[in-house]
Amino acid sequence: MRLLIPSKRFYQTTLMFVMSVLLVVSGASIAADDKVKIRVFTPRASDLTGAEGTGFVVALRFKFPGDLASTGVTLPGSEPEPEPEPEPEPEPETASEQRSVVAVDSAAEGAGSGANPNFPGLVVLLSNNEGGAGQNLAKHFSVLGVSHRKYEDDTEDDAKGEGGAIGTHIWTSWLVDSKGFGTAGEIEPAILLVAIVEGNAPDVVEDLNEDEKFTRKDLKLMEHKILSKVERIPFDVNGF
């Protein structure tokens, strides 16, 4: 009985087939993670931004392949007004209670970190954040609006069209006018991370692979489905 030994050409053909299958699979995975297109207008890579460790702008645009509802965004002012509740009768306050109320109000003024209820899928991190590099800063993005809509039958004569929306562009920005994101008197390097996840973004991204940096791997390990490319922009904050 003659033993058949596969030829070198057989091995080469088999290897090429396996590699092509892997490319198709990885390509599909990349496409699934790139459903939403992100553009970071500012800061750009290698920019020197701000003055005295503050006063810089983060401006972002997102292209969603669907209507406004598909973005999960609620535009400021469009939320239904809650029913007014009857006001309880005021009770006399002691001096210690009055001090406590002042402390709560002052803490509320500094609120801004965490997921943004008006843009629930948004993840924004700054590596030089004194509050923690994994803290989601999406709630700071209070300027939020639709910059463009695309319809199925867009024409030059009728930009709105009659078909359903097949694209919605969301613009949002944050004026960094508070301390904690730069150091006066120093040029401080920073990395901006931006991503869109399905559903609700986390208030804090955890470094689950313990590599001392925050990447798409951490979001995936937290079992978040990523709908966009994860943008990482290195820049410097001007402390002078």
Side-chain angles (χ1 to χ4, degrees), residues 190-234:
I191 295 176
L192 171 71
L193 180 146
V194 185
I196 297 292
V197 299
E198 187 175 72
N200 295 320
D203 289 325
V204 178
V205 177
E206 301 175 48
D207 182 20
L208 292 182
N209 61 354
E210 299 181 347
D211 62 353
E212 299 183 356
K213 58 184 178 181
F214 295 93
T215 64
R216 69 184 308 108
K217 290 180 181 179
D218 296 304
L219 288 169
K220 287 196 169 186
L221 288 171
M222 292 178 71
E223 299 184 350
H224 285 285
K225 182 179 179 181
I226 305 170
L227 301 181
S228 69
K229 179 181 177 183
V230 176
E231 297 286 351
R232 286 172 54 87
I233 309 294

Side-chain angles (χ1 to χ4, degrees), residues 112-133:
S113 296
N116 188 336
N118 288 332
F119 199 166
L122 179 61
V123 178
V124 180
L125 309 181
L126 273 175
S127 63
N128 64 334
N129 179 8
E130 289 183 2

Side-chain angles (χ1 to χ4, degrees), residues 64 66-73 149 165 168:
F64 286 84
D67 58 11
L68 179 60
S70 72
T71 70
V73 168
R149 298 288 293 278
T168 303

Side-chain angles (χ1 to χ4, degrees), residues 51-54 130 176-182 184:
E52 298 182 2
T54 185
E130 289 183 2
V176 185
D177 58 355
S178 57
K179 303 294 183 183
F181 304 99

Side-chain angles (χ1 to χ4, degrees), residues 68-87:
L68 179 60
S70 72
T71 70
V73 168
T74 303
L75 298 178
S78 65
E79 308 95 330
E81 295 186 4
E83 292 292 329
E85 296 181 3
E87 296 184 3

Side-chain angles (χ1 to χ4, degrees), residues 54-69:
T54 185
F56 59 96
V57 175
V58 181
L60 311 170
R61 186 189 68 193
F62 304 88
K63 290 184 179 181
F64 286 84
D67 58 11
L68 179 60

